[in-house]
């Protein structure tokens, strides 16, 4: 059961984190779109390919590097206006 459910939960984590990154401006726009692409691909591909589960660690690595090397402002990420 966990082999069927865990990759789908990971894809929902990727999609939710991408959305939070977009709403708080914590992620650059390209990373938000990469998150949506990887999350959607994981949701579909884990049904057909076991290798689809490897997208999650790759995405975690990309997000970690981007957040580690992003410029830090005095007040941090700002929510969008409006």
């Amino acid at each position: 059961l966990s082999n069927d459910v865990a990759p789908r939960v990971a894809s929902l984590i990727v999609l939710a984190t991408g959305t939070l990154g977009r709403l708080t401006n914590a992620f650059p726009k390209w990373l938000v779109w990469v998150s949506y692409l990887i999350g959607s691909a994981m949701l579909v591909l884990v049904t057909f390919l076991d290798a689809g589960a490897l997208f999650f660690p790759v995405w975690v690595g990309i997000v970690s590097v981007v957040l580690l090397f992003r410029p830090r402002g005095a007040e941090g990420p700002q929510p969008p206006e409006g």
Side-chain angles (χ1 to χ4, degrees):
L1 179 65
S2 66
N3 288 341
D4 294 333
V5 176
R8 288 179 175 82
V9 171
S11 69
L12 294 177
I13 290 170
V14 171
L15 292 169
T17 306
T19 301
L20 287 172
R22 178 179 56 87
L23 293 175
T24 61
N25 289 331
F27 292 171
K29 288 186 180 187
W30 67 267
L31 184 56
V32 171
W33 288 108
V34 167
S35 298
Y36 288 158
L37 179 70
I38 289 177
S40 300
M42 283 177 58
L43 197 58
V44 174
L45 289 179
V46 294
T47 305
F48 307 109
L49 300 171
D50 289 335
L54 296 176
F55 289 145
F56 185 68
V58 170
W59 176 81
V60 169
I62 292 170
V63 170
S64 298
V65 169
V66 167
L67 292 178
L68 182 65
F69 291 111
R70 72 177 177 171
R72 292 186 176 93
E75 62 269 348
Q78 297 296 316
E81 298 293 324

